[in-house]
Amino acid sequence: MTVTVGVEEEFLLIDRRNRLAAAAPAVLAGSDDVAGELQPEMVSCQVESVTPVCEQSDELLECLRDQRARLRDGAASAGLRLLAAGSPPMSADPVRLSPGRRYRRIADHFRGLMSTAHVCGCHIHLGVPDSDTGVRVINHVRPWLPVLLAVSANSPFAEGADTGYASWRYLAMSRWPSGGPPPYAETAGQYEELVDEMARSGAIMDPGNLYWDMRLSPRHPTVEIRVCDVAATEREAALLAVLAQGLAATAFARIGDGVDAPRVPQEVLRADLWRAARDGLDGTCVDPVDRVLRPVPVVLARLLDEVRPHLDGGAKEFAEQAVPSLVAAGGGASRQRAAFERGGVGAVVELLTGSGNYPEVPRGGPR
């Protein structure tokens, strides 16, 4: 079956001196957006794009390219640049909130954790018919979340220094009381009970700031994968979405066949995610099929084998071309580190704003 998919991408705004720029309203005003696809975020140095619901990989890729281009144009009209990284490689000024009572309430409630708000993710929405099915899809997909994190890892730097992690964004988000992997829940009712208990303690204010790596969307009939860093390029973002789409379609097939999801303990999955955040695409991670530590490209190839029967022709062709191309180019974190070796933080910024000479994943596959 074809699972509908939509993608939200978060980006940072920087000025010509490579500083974060609290200018989201000006950038959005200068962007060509009539459908409400380009939006502010909680901090005013950040903007977000939201694709419409898509079924085909070529349709999604075209949306991602168009939205990034419009945001780049809006940033340029304000004398700024759009930066695609999970965390800012340069030193970050104190958080400046976007206007809105909700944002002020979140900042008052979570206090010093707001220092981690300058991070950018790629959130993938996958259509589900109802909440009970959504919870069962989460159960089947959750063991694969570390692989998606490793493939997407694009945030090795913070405060101008290498953190030693491929995804520092993931470590930052894990500090939040609702950060980390989703629990295994038998039913939507049990899932909702867990969310209610977290709200009772104050760990979340409402389901909107439930930051599990995968969750039922509080606003849409979807499950939302939130584990990924924002991708350096549109094709990488589309690849993440196609892999997620395939995992959801595989989950639907197994649910239909009465196959139970593996009950990976929460603590074990958290450990797997830590390893994926540390190593990224160019390191090792736990293979969710047999629990053996293997090079991430090997586990990624297994993921592709897992989902291939459930991808339509265009998505399958796209993934089969994009996966080896990405492995050959290297992950976002390793490309950032190579740029840093060439020219420090300035070279990293040039890479991430699209104006540097770096190994873009080739454009083969669907147009």
Side-chain angles (χ1 to χ4, degrees):
M1 66 175 294
T2 299
V3 179
T4 59
V5 62
V7 175
E8 300 170 1
E9 294 193 284
E10 298 166 338
F11 304 98
L12 294 168
L13 302 170
I14 60 168
D15 63 21
R16 293 299 171 180
R17 288 182 286 180
N18 293 344
R19 301 179 307 183
L20 295 178
V27 169
L28 294 172
S31 302
D32 179 16
D33 180 35
V34 295
E37 296 175 355
L38 311 179
Q39 302 172 2
E41 257 294 342
M42 183 160 56
V43 293
S44 57
C45 64
Q46 194 177 60
V47 290
E48 180 182 56
S49 63
V50 181
T51 72
V53 176
C54 300
E55 290 189 359
Q56 305 301 320
S57 58
D58 55 353
E59 174 192 13
L60 177 64
L61 180 56
E62 189 59 36
C63 286
L64 292 167
R65 285 175 175 161
D66 174 67
Q67 290 177 342
R68 288 196 184 201
R70 285 186 281 147
L71 283 172
R72 289 191 191 103
D73 289 346
S77 71
L80 306 172
R81 291 182 289 175
L82 190 75
L83 186 140
S87 63
M90 71 289 289
S91 296
D93 296 330
V95 166
R96 291 179 60 180
L97 296 176
S98 296
R101 181 171 177 270
R102 175 173 174 79
Y103 294 148
R104 292 195 302 272
R105 286 182 61 227
I106 290 173
D108 289 343
H109 190 77
F110 292 105
R111 305 178 183 182
L113 284 175
M114 293 301 295
S115 65
T116 65
H118 291 125
V119 295
C120 295
C122 173
H123 303 160
I124 304 164
H125 287 262
L126 304 158
V128 293
D130 55 70
S131 294
D132 271 313
T133 303
V135 167
R136 297 172 76 184
V137 169
I138 291 172
N139 290 342
H140 278 276
V141 173
R142 61 195 287 275
W144 291 96
L145 292 175
V147 188
L148 293 178
L149 172 59
V151 172
S152 74
N154 185 37
S155 52
F157 294 101
E159 297 295 325
D162 194 327
T163 65
Y165 284 82
S167 176
W168 188 246
R169 178 204 65 88
Y170 188 79
L171 271 292
M173 288 304 301
S174 296
R175 295 167 60 188
W176 288 72
S178 64
Y184 188 105
E186 296 286 353
T187 63
Q190 185 183 14
Y191 177 99
E192 289 161 6
E193 286 175 10
L194 292 169
V195 174
D196 288 345
E197 288 294 336
M198 295 183 74
R200 190 168 292 116
S201 71
I204 60 172
M205 293 165 48
D206 55 54
N209 54 43
L210 179 71
Y211 299 141
W212 283 335
D213 299 330
M214 189 173 183
R215 67 179 186 178
L216 296 178
S217 170
R219 294 181 297 155
H220 307 293
T222 64
V223 293
E224 180 185 5
I225 294 178
R226 301 173 54 88
V227 75
C228 299
D229 283 6
V230 69
T233 68
E234 299 94 331
R235 266 184 72 82
E236 288 169 272
L239 174 60
L240 292 170
V242 166
L243 295 174
Q245 193 179 27
L247 285 169
T250 303
F252 277 120
R254 290 185 174 162
I255 291 167
D257 292 340
V259 178
D260 291 334
R263 293 174 176 262
V264 181
Q266 191 81 345
E267 297 80 4
V268 171
L269 190 52
R270 185 178 295 275
D272 294 349
L273 286 155
W274 169 82
R275 183 60 184 251
R278 195 194 74 168
D279 282 15
L281 177 64
D282 305 291
T284 57
C285 73
V286 174
D287 187 324
V289 175
D290 58 12
R291 304 292 309 160
V292 173
L293 198 64
R294 291 194 170 91
V296 174
V298 173
V299 185
L300 175 57
R302 173 165 275 183
L303 189 161
L304 184 55
D305 287 342
E306 187 92 354
V307 304
R308 184 181 281 108
H310 305 284
L311 293 174
D312 67 32
K316 180 167 65 174
E317 180 185 1
F318 173 67
E320 287 175 341
Q321 292 184 18
V323 164
S325 295
L326 178 58
V327 171
S334 66
R335 300 200 314 258
Q336 285 194 45
R337 286 177 170 135
F340 188 85
E341 288 295 318
R342 292 195 303 269
V345 170
V348 176
V349 170
E350 292 302 307
L351 171 80
L352 296 170
T353 55
S355 52
N357 182 19
Y358 68 100
E360 165 75 58
V361 178
R363 288 177 176 259
R367 298 292 183 192

